[in-house]
Amino acid sequence: MADSLRRLVNNESCRTLQDKLENWYKDYYMNSCDQNLNCCCEIIEMNSRIQGQLFTILSLTAQEGGHYAGVETIKSRLLPWLGTCFSNSSMAKPIENNINLLQVESLEKDRQLRELSATREREIQQLDSELNSTRVQLSMVQQELKSLQAQEESRQRSLDMLTDYERQLRTLKDEIAVLSAEKSVLQSRLSRSRSPSPVSQHSRSCSPMQKELQKELHKELVPSSPLVSRLSSVSRKANLLARFSDAYAQGRLEAQTLLKRFIDKMETVQRIIYIATVESFHVAKMAFRHFKIRVRKTLSPTHIGSEELEDAVMDYVICHLDLYDVQCSVNDVIRAMNVNPKISFPPEVDFIVINSFIKEICCIAFAMQTLDPPLDIAFGADGEIFNDCKYRRSCDSDFTAPLVFYHVWPALMENEIVIMKGEAVTKRGAFWSSVRNVNRSRSRSLSPVHHHGSCGKSGVSRSRSPSPPRNINTRF
C-alpha cells in the first residue's frame, strides 16, 4: 500500500490535474465549445485514473486491517458519498433529459414506422385491388374470346352449310338444265317424227337445213344450252368412253360373228372391222365440220347476247346431236371400204351386214368432236414399231416381234395422250407380209353376190367399178 501511495505522490498527477483546471479556467472564454469539451474530457480521464489508484490503495489498506477491518469507515464515509454522487440532481437531470430525448426519438421512430407500415399496407391493399380488378378483366376477356371463338365456329358452320346449300342448288340447277335439254331433244324428235325434216333427206342444198335450224332455234331456248354444255362435259365424256369401250368389247365381237358367215380368215375379218372404225371416225369428223359450218351460218344473223358465236354454235350442236344424218355417214363409210385395197377380197361380202356397228361408231365419233378437247383415234400403219403405250398384243401375236402385222382396234387419244389402249397383232416379217398383201389385192367385182336377201335392201350404191386404189395409210 505504501508503495502505491508513494508512486501516486511521485507521479504528481494531482498537481498536473490542478494545473489543467487552472489553465482551462483561464482560457474557458477564449476557447471554442469543442475545445472546452476536450479539456473537460481530458481532466475527467486524469481524475478517473487518480480515482482508480485511490480505490486500489483503499482496497489494499482495507486488506491490511483484516477481514472486517474498515467496514464501519466504508459504511459511514464511502457508501454515503457514492449514494450522494449517484443521486445528485445535477447529474440526474442530464440523464433524464437524455432519457427523455431518447424516448422522444424512439416515439418518433415508432410513429414513422407505423406511418410507413400503414402506407405500405395501403399500397399492398391497392395492389391487391388492382390485381383483383385485372383478374376480373382477364376473366371477362377470356369469356369474350370464348364467345368470339364460338361465334366464329358457328359462322364457319354456317358458311359450310351455305356452301353445301349452294352446291346442292347448283346440282339441282344442273339437273334441271339437263332435263330441260333432254325435254328439248325429245320434243324436237317428236316434231320431226310427225313431219319429215328436210335435213334427213341429205340434200346438197343448204337452205332446207338452215330453215330447220332456224325453226329449232326459235322454238327452243338456246341461252340455257351453255350451262348444259359446260356442266355436262365430264359426264358426256365418261358416257362416250363407256360407249367406245362397249363397242370394242361387244359391238366388235358381234360384227366379227356376222362377218365370219362369209369370211373364214380371221385376219381379214379383223382388218375389215378396224378399217370400218377408222373410216367411221374420218367420215364423222368431216360431217361434224360441215354440220358446224351450217349451224354457224344459220346462227350468225340472229346471234345476240354476250355469249360468243362459237360457244353458241357448239352449245346448239351439243343439244341437237339428233340432227346428225348418221345414215349418210354410214353410206360414205361403206363406199370408202368398197375401194380399200386391204379388204377388197373376197368380193361376195356386202359391208352392209355391219351397218349397226358402223352407225354406232359414227355416232360416238361425231359426239366426241363436241368435247373440249375433242377425242380422236391414233394413227396406225401396218409394219410400224409396236408401241406398248398405245396397244395391247392380241393373244395370237408373236410377243417377241417388234413390228405390227395389222391392227385390231385403234387407240383413243386426247391431245396426243392415250386414254384408252387399242389392240394389234405382232408378227415377225410383218412389214414384208403387209407389202405382199397390198400387191396381191384387187378391186371388188361389179356384181356382188348376196347370200342374204336382207343385205340388198340397204339402198347403198353397190357400184364397184374399178377405181384407182388408195392407200388407207395416207389418210388415217
Side-chain angles (χ1 to χ4, degrees), residues 162-204:
L162 181 61
T163 304
D164 293 338
Y165 291 152
E166 291 178 351
R167 189 182 298 108
Q168 293 177 3
L169 181 60
R170 287 196 299 269
T171 303
L172 292 175
K173 287 182 178 180
D174 298 346
E175 293 178 355
I176 292 174
V178 172
L179 292 175
S180 299
E182 292 179 355
K183 179 182 177 182
S184 174
V185 171
L186 292 175
Q187 288 178 349
S188 62
R189 289 178 178 176
L190 181 62
S191 62
R192 281 192 300 275
S193 63
R194 292 177 179 176
S195 59
S197 173
V199 179
S200 60
Q201 298 176 3
H202 192 63
S203 174
R204 293 187 177 180

Short mmCIF file of all heavy atoms in Angstrom, two decimals, residues 162-204:
data_model
loop_
_atom_site.label_atom_id
_atom_site.label_comp_id
_atom_site.label_asym_id
_atom_site.label_seq_id
_atom_site.Cartn_x
_atom_site.Cartn_y
_atom_site.Cartn_z
N LEU A 162 -73.91 -23.12 -95.92
CA LEU A 162 -74.27 -22.32 -97.09
C LEU A 162 -73.60 -22.86 -98.34
O LEU A 162 -74.22 -22.93 -99.41
CB LEU A 162 -73.86 -20.86 -96.85
CG LEU A 162 -74.18 -19.87 -97.98
CD1 LEU A 162 -75.68 -19.82 -98.22
CD2 LEU A 162 -73.67 -18.47 -97.63
N THR A 163 -72.31 -23.27 -98.18
CA THR A 163 -71.60 -23.85 -99.33
C THR A 163 -72.29 -25.14 -99.79
O THR A 163 -72.44 -25.38 -100.99
CB THR A 163 -70.14 -24.13 -98.95
OG1 THR A 163 -69.54 -22.91 -98.50
CG2 THR A 163 -69.38 -24.67 -100.15
N ASP A 164 -72.70 -25.96 -98.81
CA ASP A 164 -73.41 -27.18 -99.18
C ASP A 164 -74.73 -26.87 -99.87
O ASP A 164 -75.08 -27.51 -100.88
CB ASP A 164 -73.68 -28.02 -97.92
CG ASP A 164 -72.38 -28.56 -97.33
OD1 ASP A 164 -71.39 -28.65 -98.07
OD2 ASP A 164 -72.38 -28.88 -96.13
N TYR A 165 -75.44 -25.85 -99.33
CA TYR A 165 -76.70 -25.46 -99.97
C TYR A 165 -76.46 -24.96 -101.40
O TYR A 165 -77.20 -25.31 -102.33
CB TYR A 165 -77.39 -24.38 -99.15
CG TYR A 165 -77.92 -24.87 -97.81
CD1 TYR A 165 -78.05 -24.01 -96.73
CD2 TYR A 165 -78.29 -26.21 -97.63
CE1 TYR A 165 -78.52 -24.46 -95.50
CE2 TYR A 165 -78.76 -26.66 -96.42
CZ TYR A 165 -78.87 -25.78 -95.35
OH TYR A 165 -79.34 -26.22 -94.14
N GLU A 166 -75.40 -24.14 -101.55
CA GLU A 166 -75.10 -23.65 -102.90
C GLU A 166 -74.73 -24.79 -103.83
O GLU A 166 -75.13 -24.80 -104.99
CB GLU A 166 -73.97 -22.63 -102.82
CG GLU A 166 -74.36 -21.32 -102.13
CD GLU A 166 -73.19 -20.36 -102.04
OE1 GLU A 166 -72.06 -20.79 -102.37
OE2 GLU A 166 -73.40 -19.20 -101.65
N ARG A 167 -73.95 -25.75 -103.29
CA ARG A 167 -73.58 -26.89 -104.12
C ARG A 167 -74.81 -27.70 -104.52
O ARG A 167 -74.97 -28.12 -105.67
CB ARG A 167 -72.57 -27.76 -103.36
CG ARG A 167 -71.96 -28.86 -104.22
CD ARG A 167 -71.01 -29.71 -103.41
NE ARG A 167 -69.89 -28.95 -102.90
CZ ARG A 167 -69.73 -28.61 -101.61
NH1 ARG A 167 -70.61 -29.02 -100.71
NH2 ARG A 167 -68.69 -27.93 -101.22
N GLN A 168 -75.69 -27.91 -103.52
CA GLN A 168 -76.92 -28.63 -103.84
C GLN A 168 -77.78 -27.86 -104.84
O GLN A 168 -78.38 -28.43 -105.75
CB GLN A 168 -77.70 -28.89 -102.55
CG GLN A 168 -77.00 -29.85 -101.59
CD GLN A 168 -77.76 -30.03 -100.31
OE1 GLN A 168 -78.86 -29.47 -100.13
NE2 GLN A 168 -77.20 -30.79 -99.38
N LEU A 169 -77.79 -26.52 -104.66
CA LEU A 169 -78.58 -25.70 -105.58
C LEU A 169 -78.01 -25.79 -107.00
O LEU A 169 -78.77 -25.90 -107.97
CB LEU A 169 -78.59 -24.24 -105.10
CG LEU A 169 -79.39 -23.25 -105.94
CD1 LEU A 169 -80.85 -23.66 -105.99
CD2 LEU A 169 -79.25 -21.83 -105.38
N ARG A 170 -76.66 -25.72 -107.07
CA ARG A 170 -76.06 -25.85 -108.40
C ARG A 170 -76.34 -27.22 -109.01
O ARG A 170 -76.60 -27.34 -110.21
CB ARG A 170 -74.55 -25.62 -108.31
CG ARG A 170 -74.14 -24.18 -108.08
CD ARG A 170 -72.67 -23.97 -108.39
NE ARG A 170 -71.83 -24.78 -107.54
CZ ARG A 170 -71.34 -24.38 -106.38
NH1 ARG A 170 -71.62 -23.16 -105.93
NH2 ARG A 170 -70.57 -25.17 -105.65
N THR A 171 -76.29 -28.25 -108.16
CA THR A 171 -76.59 -29.59 -108.67
C THR A 171 -78.01 -29.68 -109.18
O THR A 171 -78.28 -30.24 -110.26
CB THR A 171 -76.35 -30.63 -107.55
OG1 THR A 171 -75.01 -30.52 -107.08
CG2 THR A 171 -76.60 -32.03 -108.07
N LEU A 172 -78.94 -29.09 -108.40
CA LEU A 172 -80.33 -29.10 -108.85
C LEU A 172 -80.50 -28.31 -110.15
O LEU A 172 -81.23 -28.72 -111.05
CB LEU A 172 -81.22 -28.52 -107.75
CG LEU A 172 -81.34 -29.37 -106.47
CD1 LEU A 172 -82.16 -28.63 -105.42
CD2 LEU A 172 -81.99 -30.71 -106.77
N LYS A 173 -79.80 -27.16 -110.23
CA LYS A 173 -79.88 -26.38 -111.47
C LYS A 173 -79.32 -27.17 -112.64
O LYS A 173 -79.86 -27.13 -113.76
CB LYS A 173 -79.12 -25.06 -111.30
CG LYS A 173 -79.83 -24.05 -110.40
CD LYS A 173 -79.04 -22.76 -110.34
CE LYS A 173 -79.76 -21.73 -109.47
NZ LYS A 173 -79.00 -20.45 -109.41
N ASP A 174 -78.19 -27.89 -112.37
CA ASP A 174 -77.62 -28.71 -113.44
C ASP A 174 -78.60 -29.79 -113.89
O ASP A 174 -78.78 -30.02 -115.09
CB ASP A 174 -76.32 -29.35 -112.96
CG ASP A 174 -75.27 -28.32 -112.62
OD1 ASP A 174 -75.48 -27.15 -113.00
OD2 ASP A 174 -74.28 -28.68 -111.95
N GLU A 175 -79.21 -30.44 -112.92
CA GLU A 175 -80.18 -31.49 -113.27
C GLU A 175 -81.35 -30.90 -114.03
O GLU A 175 -81.83 -31.49 -115.00
CB GLU A 175 -80.65 -32.18 -112.00
CG GLU A 175 -79.55 -32.98 -111.29
CD GLU A 175 -80.05 -33.62 -110.01
OE1 GLU A 175 -81.22 -33.35 -109.64
OE2 GLU A 175 -79.29 -34.38 -109.38
N ILE A 176 -81.82 -29.72 -113.59
CA ILE A 176 -82.93 -29.07 -114.30
C ILE A 176 -82.52 -28.74 -115.72
O ILE A 176 -83.29 -28.93 -116.69
CB ILE A 176 -83.38 -27.82 -113.54
CG1 ILE A 176 -84.02 -28.22 -112.19
CG2 ILE A 176 -84.35 -26.99 -114.37
CD1 ILE A 176 -84.35 -27.04 -111.30
N ALA A 177 -81.27 -28.21 -115.87
CA ALA A 177 -80.81 -27.86 -117.21
C ALA A 177 -80.70 -29.09 -118.09
O ALA A 177 -81.09 -29.07 -119.27
CB ALA A 177 -79.46 -27.15 -117.11
N VAL A 178 -80.15 -30.18 -117.52
CA VAL A 178 -80.04 -31.41 -118.31
C VAL A 178 -81.41 -31.95 -118.69
O VAL A 178 -81.64 -32.37 -119.83
CB VAL A 178 -79.23 -32.46 -117.52
CG1 VAL A 178 -79.26 -33.80 -118.24
CG2 VAL A 178 -77.79 -31.99 -117.35
N LEU A 179 -82.33 -31.94 -117.72
CA LEU A 179 -83.69 -32.40 -118.02
C LEU A 179 -84.35 -31.52 -119.06
O LEU A 179 -85.08 -32.00 -119.94
CB LEU A 179 -84.51 -32.43 -116.73
CG LEU A 179 -84.10 -33.49 -115.69
CD1 LEU A 179 -84.92 -33.33 -114.42
CD2 LEU A 179 -84.27 -34.88 -116.26
N SER A 180 -84.10 -30.20 -118.97
CA SER A 180 -84.67 -29.29 -119.98
C SER A 180 -84.10 -29.61 -121.36
O SER A 180 -84.83 -29.58 -122.36
CB SER A 180 -84.37 -27.84 -119.59
OG SER A 180 -84.95 -27.53 -118.34
N ALA A 181 -82.77 -29.87 -121.38
CA ALA A 181 -82.17 -30.21 -122.68
C ALA A 181 -82.74 -31.51 -123.23
O ALA A 181 -83.02 -31.63 -124.43
CB ALA A 181 -80.65 -30.31 -122.53
N GLU A 182 -82.88 -32.51 -122.34
CA GLU A 182 -83.45 -33.78 -122.79
C GLU A 182 -84.89 -33.59 -123.27
O GLU A 182 -85.31 -34.17 -124.27
CB GLU A 182 -83.41 -34.79 -121.65
CG GLU A 182 -81.99 -35.23 -121.29
CD GLU A 182 -81.97 -36.21 -120.14
OE1 GLU A 182 -83.07 -36.46 -119.58
OE2 GLU A 182 -80.89 -36.74 -119.81
N LYS A 183 -85.64 -32.76 -122.54
CA LYS A 183 -87.02 -32.47 -122.97
C LYS A 183 -87.03 -31.81 -124.34
O LYS A 183 -87.85 -32.13 -125.21
CB LYS A 183 -87.69 -31.59 -121.93
CG LYS A 183 -89.11 -31.20 -122.29
CD LYS A 183 -89.70 -30.28 -121.22
CE LYS A 183 -91.11 -29.83 -121.62
NZ LYS A 183 -91.68 -28.91 -120.63
N SER A 184 -86.06 -30.86 -124.51
CA SER A 184 -85.99 -30.18 -125.81
C SER A 184 -85.68 -31.16 -126.93
O SER A 184 -86.28 -31.11 -128.00
CB SER A 184 -84.93 -29.08 -125.74
OG SER A 184 -84.75 -28.50 -127.01
N VAL A 185 -84.72 -32.06 -126.65
CA VAL A 185 -84.37 -33.05 -127.68
C VAL A 185 -85.54 -33.97 -127.99
O VAL A 185 -85.84 -34.26 -129.15
CB VAL A 185 -83.15 -33.86 -127.21
CG1 VAL A 185 -82.89 -35.04 -128.15
CG2 VAL A 185 -81.91 -32.97 -127.14
N LEU A 186 -86.24 -34.42 -126.95
CA LEU A 186 -87.40 -35.29 -127.17
C LEU A 186 -88.50 -34.58 -127.95
O LEU A 186 -89.14 -35.16 -128.83
CB LEU A 186 -87.93 -35.79 -125.82
CG LEU A 186 -87.01 -36.76 -125.06
CD1 LEU A 186 -87.61 -37.07 -123.69
CD2 LEU A 186 -86.80 -38.03 -125.85
N GLN A 187 -88.72 -33.30 -127.61
CA GLN A 187 -89.75 -32.56 -128.34
C GLN A 187 -89.37 -32.40 -129.82
O GLN A 187 -90.22 -32.52 -130.70
CB GLN A 187 -89.95 -31.20 -127.69
CG GLN A 187 -90.66 -31.25 -126.34
CD GLN A 187 -90.80 -29.90 -125.71
OE1 GLN A 187 -90.20 -28.92 -126.16
NE2 GLN A 187 -91.61 -29.82 -124.64
N SER A 188 -88.07 -32.11 -130.04
CA SER A 188 -87.65 -31.95 -131.44
C SER A 188 -87.76 -33.27 -132.20
O SER A 188 -88.16 -33.30 -133.37
CB SER A 188 -86.21 -31.42 -131.49
OG SER A 188 -85.34 -32.36 -130.88
N ARG A 189 -87.41 -34.39 -131.53
CA ARG A 189 -87.57 -35.70 -132.19
C ARG A 189 -89.03 -35.99 -132.48
O ARG A 189 -89.37 -36.52 -133.54
CB ARG A 189 -86.98 -36.79 -131.30
CG ARG A 189 -85.46 -36.77 -131.22
CD ARG A 189 -84.97 -37.85 -130.28
NE ARG A 189 -83.51 -37.86 -130.23
CZ ARG A 189 -82.81 -38.66 -129.44
NH1 ARG A 189 -83.45 -39.52 -128.63
NH2 ARG A 189 -81.50 -38.62 -129.44
N LEU A 190 -89.90 -35.66 -131.53
CA LEU A 190 -91.33 -35.91 -131.74
C LEU A 190 -91.87 -35.10 -132.90
O LEU A 190 -92.63 -35.59 -133.73
CB LEU A 190 -92.09 -35.59 -130.44
CG LEU A 190 -93.60 -35.81 -130.49
CD1 LEU A 190 -93.92 -37.28 -130.74
CD2 LEU A 190 -94.25 -35.36 -129.16
N SER A 191 -91.43 -33.81 -132.97
CA SER A 191 -91.91 -32.97 -134.06
C SER A 191 -91.41 -33.47 -135.41
O SER A 191 -92.13 -33.42 -136.41
CB SER A 191 -91.48 -31.52 -133.82
OG SER A 191 -90.07 -31.44 -133.82
N ARG A 192 -90.15 -33.98 -135.45
CA ARG A 192 -89.62 -34.47 -136.72
C ARG A 192 -90.25 -35.81 -137.12
O ARG A 192 -90.36 -36.13 -138.28
CB ARG A 192 -88.11 -34.61 -136.63
CG ARG A 192 -87.37 -33.31 -136.78
CD ARG A 192 -85.88 -33.55 -136.96
NE ARG A 192 -85.30 -34.25 -135.84
CZ ARG A 192 -84.87 -33.63 -134.74
NH1 ARG A 192 -84.99 -32.31 -134.64
NH2 ARG A 192 -84.33 -34.31 -133.75
N SER A 193 -90.66 -36.60 -136.10
CA SER A 193 -91.30 -37.88 -136.43
C SER A 193 -92.68 -37.66 -137.04
O SER A 193 -93.16 -38.48 -137.81
CB SER A 193 -91.40 -38.74 -135.18
OG SER A 193 -92.24 -38.12 -134.21
N ARG A 194 -93.31 -36.55 -136.66
CA ARG A 194 -94.65 -36.27 -137.21
C ARG A 194 -94.56 -35.67 -138.60
O ARG A 194 -95.40 -35.94 -139.46
CB ARG A 194 -95.39 -35.32 -136.29
CG ARG A 194 -95.75 -35.96 -134.95
CD ARG A 194 -96.42 -34.96 -134.03
NE ARG A 194 -96.80 -35.59 -132.75
CZ ARG A 194 -97.34 -34.92 -131.74
NH1 ARG A 194 -97.57 -33.61 -131.86
NH2 ARG A 194 -97.64 -35.55 -130.62
N SER A 195 -93.56 -34.83 -138.83
CA SER A 195 -93.40 -34.23 -140.15
C SER A 195 -91.96 -34.43 -140.60
O SER A 195 -91.03 -34.05 -139.89
CB SER A 195 -93.72 -32.73 -140.10
OG SER A 195 -92.87 -32.08 -139.17
N PRO A 196 -91.73 -35.00 -141.76
CA PRO A 196 -90.36 -35.28 -142.23
C PRO A 196 -89.55 -34.00 -142.29
O PRO A 196 -90.02 -32.96 -142.74
CB PRO A 196 -90.58 -35.90 -143.62
CG PRO A 196 -91.99 -36.36 -143.61
CD PRO A 196 -92.75 -35.46 -142.71
N SER A 197 -88.32 -34.12 -141.78
CA SER A 197 -87.43 -32.96 -141.77
C SER A 197 -86.63 -32.92 -143.04
O SER A 197 -86.16 -33.95 -143.53
CB SER A 197 -86.48 -33.06 -140.57
OG SER A 197 -85.52 -32.03 -140.65
N PRO A 198 -86.45 -31.75 -143.60
CA PRO A 198 -85.63 -31.66 -144.82
C PRO A 198 -84.18 -32.03 -144.58
O PRO A 198 -83.46 -32.37 -145.51
CB PRO A 198 -85.74 -30.20 -145.23
CG PRO A 198 -86.59 -29.50 -144.22
CD PRO A 198 -87.02 -30.47 -143.21
N VAL A 199 -83.75 -31.98 -143.30
CA VAL A 199 -82.35 -32.30 -143.04
C VAL A 199 -82.08 -33.77 -143.27
O VAL A 199 -81.02 -34.17 -143.76
CB VAL A 199 -81.99 -31.90 -141.58
CG1 VAL A 199 -80.55 -32.23 -141.27
CG2 VAL A 199 -82.26 -30.41 -141.38
N SER A 200 -83.05 -34.64 -142.90
CA SER A 200 -82.83 -36.08 -143.01
C SER A 200 -82.74 -36.53 -144.45
O SER A 200 -82.33 -37.64 -144.72
CB SER A 200 -83.96 -36.83 -142.30
OG SER A 200 -85.21 -36.51 -142.89
N GLN A 201 -83.21 -35.72 -145.41
CA GLN A 201 -83.15 -36.11 -146.81
C GLN A 201 -81.74 -35.94 -147.39
O GLN A 201 -81.46 -36.40 -148.46
CB GLN A 201 -84.15 -35.28 -147.62
CG GLN A 201 -85.59 -35.50 -147.17
CD GLN A 201 -86.56 -34.59 -147.92
OE1 GLN A 201 -86.13 -33.85 -148.80
NE2 GLN A 201 -87.84 -34.67 -147.58
N HIS A 202 -80.85 -35.28 -146.63
CA HIS A 202 -79.45 -35.11 -147.01
C HIS A 202 -79.35 -34.51 -148.41
O HIS A 202 -78.69 -35.03 -149.32
CB HIS A 202 -78.71 -36.45 -146.97
CG HIS A 202 -77.22 -36.25 -147.08
ND1 HIS A 202 -76.49 -35.57 -146.14
CD2 HIS A 202 -76.35 -36.67 -148.04
CE1 HIS A 202 -75.25 -35.58 -146.48
NE2 HIS A 202 -75.12 -36.23 -147.64
N SER A 203 -80.08 -33.44 -148.58
CA SER A 203 -79.99 -32.73 -149.85
C SER A 203 -78.70 -31.92 -149.88
O SER A 203 -78.23 -31.43 -148.86
CB SER A 203 -81.21 -31.79 -150.00
OG SER A 203 -81.07 -31.00 -151.16
N ARG A 204 -78.18 -31.76 -151.06
CA ARG A 204 -76.96 -30.99 -151.18
C ARG A 204 -77.21 -29.50 -151.00
O ARG A 204 -76.28 -28.74 -150.78
CB ARG A 204 -76.31 -31.24 -152.55
CG ARG A 204 -75.81 -32.67 -152.70
CD ARG A 204 -75.03 -32.82 -153.98
NE ARG A 204 -74.49 -34.16 -154.10
CZ ARG A 204 -73.76 -34.56 -155.12
NH1 ARG A 204 -73.48 -33.73 -156.12
NH2 ARG A 204 -73.31 -35.80 -155.16
#
